[in-house]
Amino acid sequence: MKFTIEKSSLVTGLQRIQAIVQARTTMPILSNVRLETVKGGILLFATDLEIGLRDLLPAEIEADGTITVSAKKLYEISRELKQDAIRIASEDSEGILIRSGKSSFRLRGLPAEEFPSFPEIEETGRTAVPAAMLLEMIRKTAYAVSTDLTRMSLNGVLIHLSEQKGAPIKMVATDGHRLSLVSRKLPGLPSGGKSRKVIVPRKAISELKKYMEEAERGDVEIVFSQNHLVFQEKNYTLLSRLIDGKFPNYSDIIPKHNPHQLSVDREMLQGAVRRVSILSDEKTHAIKLALRKGEIQISSNHPEIGEAQEALSAEYQGEDLEVGFNVRYLQDVASAVNGAEIRMLFMDALSPSRIEDPQDDGFLAIIMPMRL
Amino acid sequence: MPFAEIVGQARAVEILQRELRTGRVPQAYLFHGPESVGKKRTALAVAMALQCRAAEADACGACPECRNVAAGHHPDVRFYSPQAKTRGAAEKIYIEQIRTLQQDIALRPMAGRMKIFVVDDADRLVEQAANAFLKTLEEPPDSSLLILVTAFPDRLLATIRSRCRTVRFQPLSPESVAAIVAREKGAGAEEAARLARFAHGSVARVLAVDYEAMTQQRAEFLEERQRCAGGDPAALFAFSDSFTRNSVQAAAFLEFLVTWERDLMALKLQGPDAALVHGDCAAALTREAESRGVADLLGRLELVEQSLRRLQRNVNARLVVEAALMPIIGELN
């Protein structure tokens, strides 16, 4: 194997896989990255056996070959090199020689045969989603993903694609205390013609999010299969194992007839909540919303330190109501709303509250109140 | 590893292969039976058979899937075994390991058709880990198989045992051990048979220790035993003192005593034709056997066997060895 590659492209490619290679130590080879020469460049592949990332970096190939080397060390070396052009060569599977300007490094490797191969994907359908849309959907749902390891089926985002023509793509996340749902119309028709519900682990979602935040991206192809989901954008391919479990039937949970409607300026609410939360109890994170006609009063109470309250004028015509919330849940959902206003619908002090964005019909969130 | 390479466990293999063939593999197996008789190897064979794309209800041993399982880097076959938290601490299966298992089992397979998790020495799950594991056993995902391996099924929670299909493994016959020794060590039939007897029925031990070292160790043990029999209690105490912090060595010594006493008994009852563990010491054994009665030999054998059991139950190694040797003090006077 022998090739010349531009520093910036190698560094970016290697940076993307750092979060994947570090985690596991049970199989030492998994801390390596697989390098393979292909037409027009170098194919990088790294995996932690939960997700896998494959990326094609443009390079000038002089001799073909495949090898695995420490992803962290290769990244650290290439990041520090002064010259733009990096020459990498290997004679056998023992390692590689990295040269740039007057620096040279010999990095030991492991044979590529021992590295897990990119699994064969038996594609059952695919759909293209504009990156900006996908990123927004992730931002509006990922915050509600559970971290409770005893309920693994909630440790991911549900992607729900209905078979009906013109039906939207939906993403849902919940941790049992709150739920967030986004649905969007797709510009094109998905292929495969079947209803699909897959649960994508948090890690894959967060890696994809990082990639899309790096720069402006084009359409992302989502490829479905029995065991995996693949996200493709140009040369970038992210593969994830799916969560093997049943996602709760979320449409049953969504309250449909909450009569008491509150509309309030989002930024004013966020500011007030932030201030009042300073004196909320560290254990319960509780704050109280007291709703009166035309006004809400937000308050917190720390038994040892003190209490805080702030009044906000708001559009409210329902009966007087006092509802307790975990302050973090309220802050998370407020940041997921784009519009200037946030709409909250209540039944009573203990039933789930429904949160809407008046400027986005496709967004819906639910928060379970706290008993005060 | 194809099932054909599992020696001496025909019954277990037959049950497993039948279940593989009919597709009635349960969600969890419990493989139990004496130590080092092939339980973990069989678990590996089941994992291979489930991943292998070439053979039906068996492993071809040659395809990439089989080779990956054998080499320990198949992404869908994982092994969990006891680990020491700090150097020198007791090896246990801790909650952290079970948590990784739970995260892993929740995902669909990476490459194969199924995910297989082998938990070796499952009796060493710490309490918290066992309780967490129970939750996984209650509702494992469809595409997964758990295989628990243990020599002490009684030490598992009854609730864990009841959620697994149990498969019993038998003690290996000396012929089976000899066959494995011949294969693994390339030993001739006669030497393999001798090693097999020497190994006290344990394949792991006979493969780990070489014959030379064993013979030398036996010579040392015999010498110590002679010295004690010579009537000097001080020699006994000096000897037993060396086991104060070394129960492994104490076990080796007691196991030697068991085989030695057993040979004496065999000679006494069957005469010179008896099959001996220490066949190369026949002369010394015959001399000793002639000087003692059957009842005496029987009592002695029972005592050393009991000592060995006590040692396994964590009784102070030094005291156990002293108690085992006490009756022979002064015997040669």
Side-chain angles (χ1 to χ4, degrees):
Chain A
M1 154 187 283
K2 201 172 186 182
F3 62 91
T4 309
I5 189 164
E6 212 174 287
K7 178 186 161 181
S8 62
S9 122
L10 184 61
V11 171
T12 319
L14 289 169
Q15 191 174 10
R16 283 184 196 134
I17 58 174
Q18 294 304 309
I20 299 173
V21 290
Q22 280 166 6
R24 235 178 258 251
T25 49
T26 46
M27 265 171 75
I29 201 167
L30 294 183
S31 59
N32 283 9
V33 55
R34 186 177 189 274
L35 304 174
E36 183 184 359
T37 56
V38 291
K39 204 168 159 240
I42 290 292
L43 206 52
L44 295 190
F45 177 49
T47 178
D48 63 357
L49 299 184
E50 176 179 332
I51 63 177
L53 178 53
R54 194 169 64 181
D55 210 349
L56 177 72
L57 310 177
E60 253 175 67
I61 310 293
E62 284 169 55
D64 285 337
T66 316
I67 195 169
T68 79
V69 290
S70 159
K72 186 156 176 260
K73 289 298 165 201
L74 185 58
Y75 172 58
E76 285 171 357
I77 291 168
S78 43
R79 199 179 45 183
E80 294 303 331
L81 288 173
K82 278 198 285 192
Q83 307 285 320
D84 246 2
I86 301 175
R87 291 172 56 79
I88 294 180
S90 76
E91 269 80 48
D92 46 30
S93 62
E94 297 290 304
I96 55 173
L97 192 65
I98 306 156
R99 278 176 191 284
S100 175
K102 288 182 178 166
S103 324
S104 76
F105 300 82
R106 197 181 289 275
L107 196 56
R108 259 191 278 280
L110 286 166
E113 296 78 58
E114 288 174 23
F115 200 78
S117 52
F118 194 90
E120 290 163 39
I121 305 295
E122 288 167 27
E123 183 177 328
T124 57
R126 62 166 66 209
T127 184
V129 184
M133 180 197 279
L134 189 59
L135 183 58
E136 194 204 358
M137 293 180 82
I138 290 175
R139 281 188 179 145
K140 289 187 170 183
T141 48
Y143 72 88
V145 172
S146 168
T147 50
D148 178 1
L149 294 180
T150 59
R151 292 176 77 188
M152 280 302 294
S153 61
L154 302 186
N155 280 228
V157 172
L158 177 84
I159 299 184
H160 184 182
L161 203 60
S162 164
E163 79 244 73
Q164 290 154 358
K165 215 173 165 182
I169 179 169
K170 287 184 185 166
M171 278 173 66
V172 191
T174 177
D175 63 5
H177 305 287
R178 53 182 169 166
L179 176 145
S180 198
L181 181 156
V182 189
S183 63
R184 290 284 183 267
K185 279 242 164 10
L186 284 175
L189 267 184
S191 73
K194 242 173 49 187
S195 173
R196 289 164 213 294
K197 272 186 181 178
V198 295
I199 314 171
V200 189
R202 181 215 334 275
K203 193 165 186 187
I205 294 290
S206 92
E207 285 306 312
L208 183 66
K209 180 164 170 261
K210 267 196 265 170
Y211 174 73
M212 291 191 299
E213 280 168 346
E214 264 176 28
E216 190 99 347
R217 304 290 181 200
D219 280 9
V220 177
E221 283 277 315
I222 303 181
V223 180
F224 295 88
S225 85
Q226 174 74 17
N227 296 331
H228 307 94
L229 198 68
V230 179
F231 299 96
Q232 271 174 324
E233 200 263 351
K234 299 200 179 75
N235 292 330
Y236 173 95
T237 308
L238 180 74
L239 161 113
S240 175
R241 284 164 73 188
L242 294 171
I243 292 180
D244 203 350
K246 262 191 105 153
F247 201 80
N249 191 358
Y250 59 91
S251 53
D252 289 355
I253 311 168
I254 298 171
K256 303 200 171 51
H257 309 289
N258 278 6
H260 310 304
Q261 181 178 324
L262 165 81
S263 289
V264 59
D265 184 273
R266 179 172 58 88
E267 281 178 13
M268 280 169 70
L269 178 76
Q270 280 175 307
V273 166
R274 208 168 42 238
R275 283 183 288 279
V276 168
S277 71
I278 297 170
L279 291 184
S280 74
D281 189 320
E282 301 99 343
K283 277 197 207 109
T284 61
H285 302 285
I287 62 164
K288 185 165 81 178
L289 266 61
L291 312 173
R292 316 258 179 271
K293 289 220 168 14
E295 174 192 90
I296 52 172
Q297 193 150 61
I298 304 168
S299 60
S300 64
N301 175 2
H302 192 293
E304 281 149 32
I305 300 176
E307 52 234 42
Q309 55 178 315
E310 183 164 335
L312 274 182
S313 63
E315 229 176 86
Y316 183 69
Q317 297 304 326
E319 61 187 38
D320 288 3
L321 202 62
E322 289 195 346
V323 194
F325 284 115
N326 182 324
V327 64
R328 259 192 258 146
Y329 294 176
L330 207 56
Q331 283 171 326
D332 285 344
V333 75
S335 353
V337 167
N338 293 352
E341 283 212 324
I342 182 166
R343 189 189 296 147
M344 302 178 77
L345 296 109
F346 303 90
M347 170 78 89
D348 52 45
L350 293 177
S351 306
S353 319
R354 175 179 169 128
I355 290 115
E356 296 174 357
D357 181 351
Q359 291 188 2
D360 179 0
D361 288 346
F363 175 75
L364 175 73
I366 300 165
I367 306 182
M368 285 300 293
M370 288 173 89
R371 206 177 278 273
L372 286 171
Chain B
M1 177 183 345
F3 281 111
E5 284 178 29
I6 310 284
V7 176
Q9 300 295 352
R11 208 180 64 96
V13 166
E14 192 198 314
I15 294 172
L16 291 167
Q17 275 199 298
R18 191 172 53 225
E19 290 181 344
L20 284 169
R21 228 180 342 259
T22 54
R24 287 211 311 265
V25 177
Q27 292 186 311
Y29 277 121
L30 175 64
F31 288 1
H32 68 98
E35 274 182 277
S36 74
V37 295
K39 297 184 295 296
K40 200 173 154 196
R41 281 174 82 90
T42 310
L44 197 67
V46 171
M48 257 190 205
L50 283 167
Q51 300 296 359
C52 179
R53 285 164 200 249
E56 176 81 11
D58 203 344
C60 70
C63 68
E65 306 287 328
C66 285
R67 274 185 314 196
N68 279 340
V69 176
H73 41 67
H74 192 287
D76 295 315
V77 180
R78 302 288 172 82
F79 290 90
Y80 293 82
S81 51
Q83 282 172 2
K85 261 199 176 160
T86 51
R87 195 197 284 246
E91 292 188 340
K92 301 270 184 197
I93 301 177
Y94 290 99
I95 180 82
E96 292 79 12
Q97 288 166 279
I98 295 305
R99 291 236 173 89
T100 16
L101 184 151
Q102 286 173 327
Q103 280 177 56
D104 214 1
I105 204 170
L107 298 171
R108 305 202 119 261
M110 178 74 172
R113 290 175 286 188
M114 274 192 106
K115 300 161 290 185
I116 295 126
F117 299 84
V118 180
V119 182
D120 197 17
D121 291 327
D123 51 278
R124 285 199 252 165
L125 280 160
V126 299
E127 191 185 344
Q128 207 189 1
N131 285 326
F133 191 47
L134 200 52
K135 191 140 179 65
T136 303
L137 272 175
E138 276 165 5
E139 301 177 77
D142 290 342
S143 57
S144 63
L145 170 67
L146 291 156
I147 305 180
L148 280 68
V149 174
T150 179
F152 309 99
D154 298 346
R155 295 185 193 166
L156 285 171
L157 291 178
T159 37
I160 288 188
R161 277 201 309 272
S162 70
R163 283 180 173 82
C164 303
R165 183 170 307 165
T166 51
V167 179
R168 223 170 75 101
F169 285 70
Q170 297 164 333
L172 290 179
S173 63
E175 292 75 34
S176 296
V177 177
I180 296 169
V181 170
R183 186 183 68 201
E184 300 290 321
K185 285 202 127 180
E190 201 171 315
E191 195 197 340
R194 194 173 52 179
L195 279 172
R197 280 203 303 272
F198 220 138
H200 215 235
S202 157
V203 177
R205 196 169 314 141
V206 77
L207 292 181
V209 177
D210 62 298
Y211 186 64
E212 293 275 316
M214 268 185 163
T215 323
Q216 199 187 334
Q217 193 184 39
R218 185 185 63 189
E220 283 164 26
F221 284 161
L222 263 178
E223 199 180 309
E224 290 296 342
R225 188 172 169 276
Q226 275 322 95
R227 199 171 299 155
C228 295
D232 179 7
L236 165 61
F237 292 128
F239 177 54
S240 66
D241 194 40
S242 67
F243 296 121
T244 307
R245 295 202 170 277
N246 197 343
S247 59
V248 177
Q249 187 69 5
F253 175 65
L254 289 173
E255 273 159 13
F256 152 73
L257 280 187
V258 170
T259 52
W260 189 264
E261 298 289 345
R262 175 232 167 252
D263 277 1
L264 290 174
M265 179 72 95
L267 277 173
K268 192 83 192 167
L269 297 179
Q270 290 182 302
D273 296 337
L276 298 179
V277 175
H278 304 282
D280 48 339
C281 300
L285 281 164
T286 314
R287 245 180 290 127
E288 195 176 336
E290 276 167 5
S291 69
R292 287 162 53 186
V294 176
D296 179 26
L297 283 171
L298 189 64
R300 191 79 61 77
L301 185 57
E302 266 171 14
L303 176 67
V304 286
E305 281 184 335
Q306 192 188 34
S307 303
L308 197 57
R309 279 196 299 275
R310 283 188 177 140
L311 194 68
Q312 282 158 356
R313 286 194 203 124
N314 244 347
V315 176
N316 183 313
R318 177 183 174 169
L319 296 179
V320 170
V321 172
E322 278 170 15
L325 284 178
M326 212 54 105
I328 65 166
I329 289 187
E331 197 168 75
L332 293 188
N333 279 355

